[in-house]
Amino acid sequence: FLPKKRKQKDSLINLKIQKENPKVVNEIDIEDLKSPSACYCRCWRSKTFPVCDKSHIKHNELTGDNVGPLILKKKIL
Ligand code: FES
């Protein structure tokens, strides 16, 4: 007897960010980055989404997950 297969909707990734929108999309122009690097959230737990606020550390501790930010780096020419 196999356990009932979970449906995708049983495992929401986004729990509370912009739930009023049908899809959350963020667009960032690389040229507008103020500093040489920027961290963007991929765990969907950041209170400053889409910017990473290190909430992924707590999320990983609580769940055993291993997610982290996307780090964009700008070459200084
Ligand atoms: Fe989400 Fe850092 S807070 S990846």
Side-chain angles (χ1 to χ4, degrees):
F1 181 80
L2 295 172
K4 186 179 167 202
K5 189 174 179 184
R6 295 185 67 130
K7 294 179 182 171
Q8 186 76 19
K9 70 175 183 161
D10 293 336
S11 56
L12 284 177
I13 294 170
N14 180 13
L15 301 177
K16 57 187 175 187
I17 297 169
Q18 297 177 37
K19 295 305 267 187
E20 68 279 12
N21 294 336
K23 186 190 299 181
V24 180
V25 176
N26 299 101
E27 186 174 306
I28 296 144
D29 287 327
I30 300 284
E31 293 79 13
D32 292 341
L33 289 181
K34 302 277 186 274
S35 57
S37 70
C39 296
Y40 292 96
C41 179
R42 294 193 299 179
C43 75
W44 292 82
R45 301 296 181 271
S46 175
K47 291 173 182 59
T48 57
F49 194 89
V51 175
C52 170
D53 71 353
K54 298 190 177 4
S55 291
H56 59 269
I57 296 170
K58 184 177 178 191
H59 167 77
N60 288 343
E61 286 172 0
L62 291 173
T63 63
D65 210 342
N66 66 344
V67 296
L70 166 68
I71 301 173
L72 297 182
K73 292 183 176 179
K74 193 161 60 173
K75 283 187 180 170
I76 309 290
L77 301 175

